[in-house]
Amino acid sequence: MPAMKFRGVDYLQFDTLLSDDERLVRDTARQFIEDNLIPIIEECNRAGRFPRELVKPMAELGFFGASLQGYGCAGMSNVEYGLVTQEMERGDSGVRSFVSVQSALVMYPIYTFGSDEQKEKWLPALQKGEKLGCFGLTEPDFGSNPGGMRTRAKKVGNEYVLNGEKMWITSGTIADVAVIWAKVEDEGDRVRGFLVETDRPGFKAEDIHGKWSLRASVTSGLSLQDVHIPETNLLPKSGGLKSPLMCLNQARYGIAWGAVGAAMACYDCALQYSLLRKQFRDQPIASHQLIQDKLAWMISEITKAQLLILQVGRLKDAGKVEHYHISMAKRNNVWMALECARLSRDILGANGVADDYPIMRHMMNLESVKTYEGTHDIHTLIIGSHVTGIDAF
Amino acid sequence: MKILVCMKQVPQKDAPLKLNESGAWIREDVSYEVNEPDAYALEEALRQKEKHGGEVVVITSGPTRAGQVLREALAKGADRAIHLEDNAFVGLDAFNTARAFAEAIKDEKFDLIFTGLQSDDYGYAQTGVVLAELLGWPHATIIMQIEKTDGGIQVKRELEAGYFQFVDMPLPAVLTIQSGINKLRYATLIGIKQAKNKPLRKVTLAEVQAVLGPNLQKIEKLYVPQKTKNTEFLQGPAAEVAKQLVEKLRNEVRVL
């Protein structure tokens, strides 16, 4: 069990900006994570084990596809959904990544671009956690520039034949269905989405080993060699690179909330530690100016990040959010969380590197979070492009 | 079975508390949560309903913020809620709270009323018992288990030193429920959405005022325990010091 119990972080009466329902959703998710993930997460992280036993309980609470309507989904608002991801990532970025992929990158594209048959077939099963999904966009040679992808789909009779490689795919080897993005040869290389059942001949997934981040979630490489799928597996309403980017927008939004959760976990741990740890004249290190400087920086940045993502969430609920709003929130909040993890590690001294405390785990996780779903630098360029009207990429 | 569960909103267990200006209670600006034994009472009621059918109704008294415990109960599966909504309810003693509840439910016909064993803030452990008396119903306290029988129910009470007591009771009855007797469920996200459409009846202070009397129990003063550390050094020859020490241990500390 962790050395310090999480007490929540609310400097500026942030809770008064939330509705009763929003608070109830947040508190429910917080309690669930505290009871079910916190006691096992350090063991999972050490062993590099995804806590699969939590899939069913998370599904029962409605964590998968929480912001979608119908198909057994909870129909949460975007702010409520965000608060859930915040609490998940307060637990662990890897577990939050799993939920983000299942919800924002698998259920959302089926919901948005899928046919009625596809929705009926997949969404209830994905919501219940009976089926798991993964999202294949990134390739070994194409990360920030997905438009360069080499994966191809060729129409042959009433089938598509897919060939290509996908890399850094969360949940790849545990997925029952993969949302694969490929250029369609007969459509002038237009990017479209396909549902590929992972037991089809020619589909292979292998885990990436030796990663020092997101160790409690599965990350895989996918290989598709002459994988035949019926033409009904094409996501009919997908068209162009805009479609996968819409999915990423969903996921990035959740990440910007999640990062606040990770930062809260680090800050709260460092604050409690600094009040207990005594050095020099038997005084708690919290009485030292340099420690207070770090704590003051962190609580200020966390508070700003909360307000930023809440406003983005409110815009999203009002249907007014733009992708560059989400870029700002993702870029700022993940950077902020990583800095908080580093400052917190500093405050804990040598104890900060041990997994008696969650800080080093969060720090290592956040290195991935900073890079995936649009790197920090790419989001800089998206903001730059919006304010200047000039693309720098 | 139709079951009423009395629930209370109390300050969060880990919340840092500050005294209010009168020094007789705490400041309002703390985080609140459901009183823990009440959460177990609700869980037990939901389980009884799952086994035997019926209805679970939840009731609380307190200001607007106290509605949160009702919303949470509805999200977990309670069918409807009653909120005695007024700031004044916070200051009522157990007798008056019980009188207010009895008045608010006078048109209802419950088979069972559950309360938590006691509240985490006042800790009276009285409201349920007094409510039973006011209604003229039998009651049993510190309940760990409830089985339906032909004539009523059999309950398991926790006594001291590891002893239990099994009691057969007729219905209707009031039971005060012990913490930890079952595993609490979480509100599901869908449950939270559906709770919005469940009936919530609000009862004003005016509606129950006629049955209330002056509080018979009052908190005079609340304070943080003072640290009173007093060290005295005994000096002199060893034999003399030993004599003084024995004297002090016998007459001041009274351990000899």
Coordinates of all heavy atoms in Angstrom, one line a residue, chain A residues 301-375:
Chain A
E301 N 0.7 25.9 -10.9 CA 0.6 25.3 -12.2 C -0.6 24.3 -12.3 O -1.3 24.2 -13.3 CB 1.9 24.6 -12.7 CG 3.0 25.6 -13.0 CD 2.7 26.6 -14.1 OE1 2.0 26.2 -15.0 OE2 3.1 27.7 -14.0
I302 N -0.8 23.5 -11.3 CA -1.9 22.5 -11.3 C -3.2 23.3 -11.3 O -4.1 22.9 -12.1 CB -1.8 21.6 -10.0 CG1 -0.6 20.7 -10.1 CG2 -3.1 20.8 -9.9 CD1 -0.4 19.9 -8.8
T303 N -3.3 24.4 -10.5 CA -4.5 25.2 -10.5 C -4.8 25.8 -11.9 O -5.9 25.7 -12.4 CB -4.4 26.3 -9.5 OG1 -4.1 25.6 -8.2 CG2 -5.7 27.1 -9.4
K304 N -3.8 26.3 -12.5 CA -4.0 26.9 -13.9 C -4.4 25.8 -14.9 O -5.2 26.0 -15.7 CB -2.7 27.5 -14.4 CG -2.3 28.8 -13.7 CD -1.2 29.6 -14.3 CE 0.1 29.2 -13.7 NZ 1.3 29.9 -14.3
A305 N -3.8 24.6 -14.7 CA -4.1 23.5 -15.7 C -5.5 23.0 -15.5 O -6.2 22.7 -16.4 CB -3.1 22.4 -15.4
Q306 N -6.0 23.0 -14.2 CA -7.4 22.6 -14.0 C -8.3 23.6 -14.7 O -9.3 23.2 -15.3 CB -7.7 22.7 -12.5 CG -7.1 21.6 -11.6 CD -7.3 21.8 -10.2 OE1 -7.1 22.8 -9.6 NE2 -7.8 20.7 -9.5
L307 N -8.0 24.9 -14.5 CA -8.9 25.9 -15.1 C -8.9 25.8 -16.6 O -9.9 26.0 -17.3 CB -8.5 27.3 -14.6 CG -8.7 27.5 -13.1 CD1 -8.1 28.8 -12.7 CD2 -10.1 27.4 -12.7
L308 N -7.7 25.6 -17.2 CA -7.5 25.5 -18.6 C -8.4 24.3 -19.2 O -9.2 24.5 -20.1 CB -6.1 25.3 -19.0 CG -5.7 25.0 -20.4 CD1 -6.2 26.0 -21.4 CD2 -4.1 24.8 -20.5
I309 N -8.2 23.2 -18.6 CA -8.9 22.0 -19.2 C -10.4 22.1 -18.9 O -11.2 21.6 -19.7 CB -8.3 20.7 -18.7 CG1 -8.8 19.5 -19.5 CG2 -8.4 20.4 -17.2 CD1 -8.7 19.6 -21.0
L310 N -10.8 22.7 -17.8 CA -12.2 22.8 -17.5 C -12.9 23.7 -18.6 O -13.9 23.4 -19.1 CB -12.5 23.4 -16.1 CG -14.0 23.5 -15.8 CD1 -14.7 22.1 -15.8 CD2 -14.2 24.2 -14.5
Q311 N -12.2 24.8 -18.9 CA -12.7 25.7 -20.0 C -12.8 24.9 -21.3 O -13.8 25.1 -22.0 CB -11.9 27.0 -20.1 CG -12.2 27.8 -21.3 CD -13.6 28.4 -21.3 OE1 -14.4 28.2 -20.4 NE2 -13.9 29.2 -22.3
V312 N -11.8 24.2 -21.6 CA -11.8 23.4 -22.9 C -13.0 22.4 -22.8 O -13.7 22.3 -23.8 CB -10.5 22.7 -23.1 CG1 -10.6 21.7 -24.3 CG2 -9.4 23.7 -23.4
G313 N -13.2 21.8 -21.7 CA -14.3 20.8 -21.5 C -15.6 21.5 -21.7 O -16.6 21.0 -22.3
R314 N -15.8 22.7 -21.1 CA -17.0 23.5 -21.2 C -17.3 23.8 -22.7 O -18.4 23.8 -23.2 CB -17.0 24.7 -20.4 CG -16.9 24.5 -18.9 CD -18.2 24.1 -18.2 NE -18.1 24.0 -16.8 CZ -18.4 22.8 -16.1 NH1 -18.9 21.8 -16.8 NH2 -18.3 22.8 -14.8
L315 N -16.2 24.2 -23.4 CA -16.3 24.6 -24.8 C -16.8 23.3 -25.6 O -17.6 23.4 -26.5 CB -15.0 25.1 -25.4 CG -14.6 26.5 -25.0 CD1 -13.2 26.8 -25.5 CD2 -15.6 27.5 -25.5
K316 N -16.2 22.2 -25.2 CA -16.5 20.9 -25.9 C -17.9 20.5 -25.7 O -18.6 20.1 -26.6 CB -15.5 19.8 -25.4 CG -15.4 18.6 -26.4 CD -14.2 17.8 -25.9 CE -13.8 16.7 -26.9 NZ -14.9 15.8 -27.4
D317 N -18.4 20.7 -24.5 CA -19.8 20.4 -24.2 C -20.7 21.3 -24.9 O -21.9 21.0 -25.3 CB -20.1 20.5 -22.7 CG -19.7 19.2 -22.0 OD1 -19.7 18.1 -22.6 OD2 -19.3 19.2 -20.8
A318 N -20.3 22.6 -25.2 CA -21.1 23.5 -25.9 C -20.9 23.4 -27.4 O -21.5 24.1 -28.2 CB -20.7 24.9 -25.5
G319 N -20.1 22.4 -27.9 CA -19.9 22.2 -29.3 C -19.0 23.3 -29.9 O -19.1 23.5 -31.1
K320 N -18.2 24.0 -29.1 CA -17.5 25.1 -29.7 C -16.0 24.9 -29.6 O -15.2 25.8 -29.8 CB -17.8 26.4 -28.8 CG -19.2 26.9 -29.0 CD -19.4 28.1 -28.2 CE -20.9 28.6 -28.3 NZ -21.2 29.5 -27.2
V321 N -15.6 23.7 -29.2 CA -14.1 23.5 -29.1 C -13.4 23.3 -30.4 O -14.0 22.8 -31.4 CB -13.8 22.3 -28.2 CG1 -13.9 21.0 -28.9 CG2 -12.5 22.4 -27.5
E322 N -12.2 23.9 -30.5 CA -11.4 23.7 -31.8 C -10.2 22.8 -31.4 O -9.8 22.8 -30.3 CB -10.9 25.1 -32.3 CG -12.1 26.0 -32.6 CD -12.8 25.6 -33.9 OE1 -12.3 24.7 -34.6 OE2 -13.9 26.2 -34.1
H323 N -9.6 22.2 -32.5 CA -8.5 21.3 -32.2 C -7.3 22.1 -31.5 O -6.6 21.5 -30.7 CB -8.1 20.6 -33.5 CG -7.4 21.5 -34.5 ND1 -8.1 22.3 -35.3 CD2 -6.1 21.8 -34.7 CE1 -7.2 23.0 -36.1 NE2 -6.0 22.7 -35.7
Y324 N -7.2 23.4 -31.9 CA -6.1 24.1 -31.3 C -6.3 24.5 -29.8 O -5.3 24.7 -29.1 CB -5.7 25.3 -32.1 CG -6.9 26.2 -32.5 CD1 -7.4 27.1 -31.6 CD2 -7.5 26.1 -33.7 CE1 -8.5 27.9 -31.9 CE2 -8.6 26.9 -34.1 CZ -9.1 27.8 -33.2 OH -10.1 28.6 -33.5
H325 N -7.6 24.5 -29.4 CA -7.8 24.6 -27.9 C -7.3 23.3 -27.2 O -6.6 23.4 -26.2 CB -9.3 24.7 -27.6 CG -9.9 25.9 -28.2 ND1 -11.2 25.9 -28.7 CD2 -9.5 27.2 -28.4 CE1 -11.5 27.1 -29.1 NE2 -10.5 27.9 -29.0
I326 N -7.6 22.2 -27.8 CA -7.2 20.9 -27.2 C -5.7 20.8 -27.2 O -5.1 20.3 -26.2 CB -7.9 19.7 -27.9 CG1 -9.4 19.8 -27.6 CG2 -7.4 18.4 -27.4 CD1 -10.3 18.8 -28.4
S327 N -5.1 21.3 -28.3 CA -3.6 21.2 -28.4 C -3.0 22.0 -27.2 O -2.0 21.6 -26.6 CB -3.1 21.8 -29.7 OG -3.3 20.9 -30.7
M328 N -3.6 23.2 -26.9 CA -3.0 24.0 -25.9 C -3.1 23.3 -24.5 O -2.1 23.2 -23.7 CB -3.7 25.3 -25.8 CG -3.2 26.2 -24.6 SD -4.0 27.8 -24.5 CE -3.1 28.7 -25.8
A329 N -4.3 22.7 -24.3 CA -4.5 22.0 -23.0 C -3.5 20.8 -22.9 O -2.9 20.5 -21.8 CB -5.9 21.5 -22.9
K330 N -3.4 20.0 -24.0 CA -2.6 18.8 -23.9 C -1.1 19.2 -23.7 O -0.4 18.6 -22.8 CB -2.7 18.0 -25.2 CG -2.2 16.5 -25.1 CD -0.7 16.4 -25.5 CE -0.3 15.0 -25.5 NZ 1.2 14.9 -25.8
R331 N -0.7 20.2 -24.5 CA 0.7 20.6 -24.4 C 1.0 21.1 -23.0 O 2.0 20.7 -22.4 CB 1.0 21.7 -25.5 CG 2.3 22.3 -25.4 CD 2.4 23.4 -26.5 NE 3.7 23.9 -26.6 CZ 4.1 25.0 -25.9 NH1 3.3 25.5 -25.0 NH2 5.4 25.5 -26.0
N332 N 0.2 22.1 -22.5 CA 0.5 22.7 -21.3 C 0.4 21.7 -20.1 O 1.3 21.6 -19.2 CB -0.5 23.8 -21.0 CG -0.2 24.5 -19.7 OD1 0.7 25.3 -19.5 ND2 -1.0 24.1 -18.7
N333 N -0.7 20.9 -20.1 CA -0.9 20.1 -18.9 C 0.1 19.0 -18.8 O 0.5 18.6 -17.6 CB -2.4 19.6 -18.9 CG -3.3 20.8 -18.6 OD1 -2.9 21.9 -18.6 ND2 -4.6 20.4 -18.4
V334 N 0.5 18.4 -19.9 CA 1.4 17.3 -19.8 C 2.8 17.8 -19.4 O 3.5 17.2 -18.5 CB 1.5 16.5 -21.1 CG1 2.5 15.4 -21.0 CG2 0.1 15.9 -21.4
W335 N 3.2 18.9 -20.0 CA 4.5 19.5 -19.6 C 4.5 19.9 -18.1 O 5.4 19.6 -17.4 CB 4.7 20.8 -20.4 CG 5.6 21.8 -19.8 CD1 7.0 21.7 -19.8 CD2 5.3 22.9 -19.0 NE1 7.6 22.7 -19.1 CE2 6.6 23.5 -18.6 CE3 4.1 23.5 -18.6 CZ2 6.6 24.7 -17.8 CZ3 4.2 24.7 -17.8 CH2 5.4 25.2 -17.4
M336 N 3.4 20.5 -17.7 CA 3.2 20.9 -16.3 C 3.3 19.6 -15.4 O 4.0 19.7 -14.3 CB 1.8 21.5 -16.1 CG 1.3 21.9 -14.8 SD 0.7 20.6 -13.7 CE -0.7 19.9 -14.6
A337 N 2.7 18.5 -15.8 CA 2.7 17.3 -14.9 C 4.1 16.7 -14.8 O 4.5 16.3 -13.8 CB 1.7 16.3 -15.5
L338 N 4.8 16.7 -15.9 CA 6.1 16.2 -15.9 C 7.1 17.1 -15.1 O 7.9 16.5 -14.3 CB 6.7 16.2 -17.4 CG 7.9 15.4 -17.7 CD1 7.9 14.0 -17.1 CD2 8.1 15.2 -19.2
E339 N 6.9 18.4 -15.1 CA 7.7 19.2 -14.3 C 7.3 19.0 -12.8 O 8.2 19.0 -11.9 CB 7.4 20.7 -14.6 CG 8.0 21.1 -16.0 CD 9.5 20.9 -16.0 OE1 10.3 21.3 -15.1 OE2 10.0 20.3 -17.0
C340 N 6.1 18.8 -12.5 CA 5.6 18.5 -11.1 C 6.3 17.2 -10.6 O 6.7 17.1 -9.5 CB 4.1 18.4 -11.0 SG 3.3 20.0 -11.0
A341 N 6.3 16.2 -11.5 CA 6.9 14.9 -11.2 C 8.3 15.1 -10.8 O 8.8 14.6 -9.8 CB 6.7 13.9 -12.3
R342 N 9.0 15.9 -11.6 CA 10.5 16.1 -11.3 C 10.7 16.9 -10.1 O 11.6 16.5 -9.3 CB 11.1 16.8 -12.6 CG 11.2 15.9 -13.7 CD 11.7 16.5 -15.0 NE 11.8 15.5 -16.0 CZ 11.6 15.8 -17.3 NH1 11.4 17.0 -17.8 NH2 11.8 14.8 -18.2
L343 N 9.9 17.9 -9.8 CA 10.1 18.7 -8.6 C 9.7 17.9 -7.4 O 10.4 18.0 -6.3 CB 9.2 20.0 -8.7 CG 9.6 21.1 -9.6 CD1 8.6 22.1 -9.8 CD2 11.0 21.7 -9.2
S344 N 8.7 17.1 -7.5 CA 8.3 16.2 -6.4 C 9.3 15.2 -6.1 O 9.7 14.9 -4.9 CB 7.0 15.5 -6.8 OG 5.9 16.4 -7.0
R345 N 9.9 14.6 -7.1 CA 11.0 13.7 -7.0 C 12.2 14.3 -6.2 O 12.7 13.7 -5.3 CB 11.5 13.2 -8.3 CG 12.0 11.8 -8.4 CD 13.4 11.6 -7.7 NE 14.4 12.5 -8.2 CZ 15.4 13.0 -7.5 NH1 15.5 12.7 -6.2 NH2 16.2 13.9 -8.0
D346 N 12.5 15.6 -6.5 CA 13.5 16.3 -5.9 C 13.2 16.5 -4.4 O 14.1 16.3 -3.5 CB 13.5 17.8 -6.4 CG 14.8 18.1 -7.0 OD1 15.8 17.2 -7.0 OD2 15.0 19.2 -7.5
I347 N 11.9 16.8 -4.1 CA 11.5 17.0 -2.7 C 11.7 15.7 -1.9 O 12.1 15.7 -0.7 CB 10.1 17.5 -2.6 CG1 10.0 19.0 -3.1 CG2 9.5 17.4 -1.2 CD1 8.6 19.5 -3.2
L348 N 11.4 14.6 -2.5 CA 11.5 13.3 -1.8 C 12.9 12.8 -1.7 O 13.2 11.7 -1.1 CB 10.6 12.2 -2.4 CG 9.2 12.1 -1.8 CD1 8.3 13.3 -2.2 CD2 8.5 10.8 -2.1
G349 N 13.8 13.5 -2.4 CA 15.2 13.0 -2.3 C 15.4 11.6 -2.8 O 14.7 11.2 -3.8
A350 N 16.2 10.8 -2.1 CA 16.4 9.4 -2.6 C 15.1 8.6 -2.6 O 14.9 7.8 -3.4 CB 17.4 8.7 -1.7
N351 N 14.2 8.9 -1.6 CA 13.0 8.2 -1.6 C 12.2 8.4 -2.8 O 11.3 7.5 -3.2 CB 12.1 8.6 -0.3 CG 12.6 8.0 0.9 OD1 12.9 6.8 1.0 ND2 12.8 8.8 2.0
G352 N 12.4 9.5 -3.5 CA 11.6 9.8 -4.7 C 11.8 8.8 -5.8 O 11.0 8.6 -6.7
V353 N 13.0 8.1 -5.8 CA 13.2 7.1 -6.9 C 12.7 5.7 -6.6 O 12.7 4.8 -7.5 CB 14.7 7.0 -7.3 CG1 15.3 8.4 -7.6 CG2 15.5 6.3 -6.2
A354 N 12.2 5.5 -5.4 CA 11.8 4.2 -5.0 C 10.3 4.0 -5.2 O 9.5 5.0 -5.1 CB 12.1 3.9 -3.5
D355 N 9.8 2.8 -5.5 CA 8.4 2.7 -5.8 C 7.5 2.5 -4.5 O 6.4 2.0 -4.6 CB 8.1 1.6 -6.9 CG 8.4 0.2 -6.4 OD1 8.7 0.0 -5.2 OD2 8.3 -0.7 -7.3
D356 N 8.1 2.9 -3.3 CA 7.3 3.1 -2.2 C 6.4 4.3 -2.4 O 5.3 4.4 -1.7 CB 8.1 3.3 -0.9 CG 8.9 2.1 -0.5 OD1 8.5 1.0 -1.0 OD2 10.0 2.3 0.1
Y357 N 6.8 5.1 -3.3 CA 6.1 6.4 -3.6 C 5.8 6.3 -5.1 O 6.5 5.7 -5.9 CB 6.9 7.6 -3.3 CG 7.3 7.6 -1.8 CD1 8.5 7.1 -1.3 CD2 6.4 8.2 -0.9 CE1 8.8 7.1 0.0 CE2 6.7 8.3 0.4 CZ 7.9 7.7 0.9 OH 8.2 7.7 2.2
P358 N 4.7 7.0 -5.6 CA 4.3 6.9 -7.0 C 5.0 7.8 -7.9 O 4.8 7.7 -9.1 CB 2.8 7.3 -6.9 CG 2.7 8.3 -5.8 CD 3.8 7.8 -4.8
I359 N 5.9 8.6 -7.4 CA 6.4 9.7 -8.2 C 7.2 9.3 -9.4 O 7.0 9.8 -10.6 CB 7.2 10.7 -7.3 CG1 6.2 11.4 -6.4 CG2 7.9 11.8 -8.1 CD1 6.8 12.2 -5.3
M360 N 8.2 8.4 -9.2 CA 9.1 8.1 -10.3 C 8.3 7.4 -11.4 O 8.5 7.5 -12.6 CB 10.2 7.2 -9.8 CG 11.3 7.0 -10.8 SD 12.4 8.5 -10.7 CE 13.6 8.0 -11.9
R361 N 7.3 6.6 -11.0 CA 6.4 5.9 -12.0 C 5.7 6.9 -12.8 O 5.6 6.8 -14.0 CB 5.4 5.0 -11.2 CG 4.4 4.3 -12.1 CD 3.6 3.2 -11.3 NE 3.1 3.7 -10.1 CZ 1.9 4.4 -10.0 NH1 1.2 4.7 -11.1 NH2 1.5 4.8 -8.9
H362 N 5.1 7.9 -12.2 CA 4.4 8.9 -12.9 C 5.3 9.7 -13.9 O 5.0 9.9 -15.0 CB 3.7 9.9 -12.0 CG 2.4 9.5 -11.4 ND1 1.3 9.1 -12.1 CD2 2.0 9.3 -10.1 CE1 0.3 8.8 -11.3 NE2 0.7 8.8 -10.1
M363 N 6.5 9.9 -13.4 CA 7.5 10.7 -14.2 C 7.8 9.9 -15.5 O 7.8 10.4 -16.6 CB 8.8 11.0 -13.4 CG 9.7 12.0 -14.1 SD 11.4 11.9 -13.5 CE 11.1 12.3 -11.8
M364 N 8.1 8.6 -15.3 CA 8.4 7.8 -16.4 C 7.2 7.6 -17.4 O 7.4 7.7 -18.6 CB 8.9 6.4 -16.0 CG 10.2 6.5 -15.2 SD 11.1 5.0 -15.0 CE 10.0 4.0 -14.2
N365 N 6.0 7.5 -16.8 CA 4.8 7.4 -17.6 C 4.7 8.7 -18.5 O 4.4 8.7 -19.7 CB 3.6 7.2 -16.8 CG 3.4 5.8 -16.2 OD1 4.0 4.9 -16.8 ND2 2.6 5.6 -15.2
L366 N 4.9 9.8 -17.8 CA 4.6 11.1 -18.4 C 5.5 11.4 -19.6 O 5.2 12.2 -20.5 CB 4.6 12.2 -17.4 CG 3.4 12.2 -16.5 CD1 3.7 13.1 -15.2 CD2 2.2 12.7 -17.2
E367 N 6.7 10.7 -19.6 CA 7.6 10.9 -20.7 C 6.9 10.4 -22.0 O 7.0 11.0 -23.1 CB 8.9 10.2 -20.5 CG 9.8 10.8 -19.5 CD 10.5 12.1 -19.9 OE1 10.4 12.5 -21.1 OE2 11.0 12.8 -19.0
S368 N 6.2 9.3 -21.9 CA 5.4 8.8 -23.0 C 4.3 9.7 -23.4 O 4.0 10.0 -24.5 CB 4.8 7.4 -22.8 OG 5.8 6.5 -22.6
V369 N 3.6 10.2 -22.3 CA 2.4 11.0 -22.5 C 2.8 12.3 -23.2 O 2.0 12.8 -24.0 CB 1.7 11.2 -21.2 CG1 0.4 12.1 -21.4 CG2 1.3 9.9 -20.5
K370 N 4.0 12.8 -22.9 CA 4.4 14.0 -23.6 C 4.6 13.8 -25.1 O 4.4 14.7 -25.9 CB 5.8 14.4 -22.9 CG 6.2 15.8 -23.4 CD 7.6 16.2 -22.8 CE 8.0 17.6 -23.2 NZ 9.4 17.8 -23.0
T371 N 4.9 12.6 -25.4 CA 5.2 12.3 -26.8 C 4.0 11.8 -27.6 O 3.8 12.2 -28.8 CB 6.4 11.2 -26.9 OG1 7.6 11.9 -26.5 CG2 6.5 10.7 -28.3
Y372 N 3.2 10.9 -27.0 CA 2.1 10.4 -27.8 C 0.9 11.3 -28.0 O 0.8 12.3 -27.3 CB 1.7 9.0 -27.3 CG 1.0 8.8 -26.0 CD1 0.3 9.8 -25.4 CD2 0.9 7.5 -25.5 CE1 -0.5 9.6 -24.2 CE2 0.2 7.3 -24.3 CZ -0.5 8.3 -23.7 OH -1.2 8.1 -22.6
E373 N 0.1 11.0 -29.0 CA -1.1 11.8 -29.3 C -0.7 13.2 -29.6 O -1.4 14.2 -29.2 CB -2.0 11.8 -28.1 CG -2.4 10.4 -27.6 CD -3.5 9.8 -28.3 OE1 -4.2 10.5 -29.0 OE2 -3.7 8.6 -28.1
G374 N 0.3 13.3 -30.4 CA 0.8 14.6 -30.8 C 1.9 15.1 -29.8 O 1.6 15.2 -28.6
T375 N 3.1 15.2 -30.2 CA 4.2 15.5 -29.3 C 4.0 16.9 -28.8 O 3.3 17.7 -29.4 CB 5.6 15.4 -29.9 OG1 5.7 16.4 -30.9 CG2 5.8 14.0 -30.6

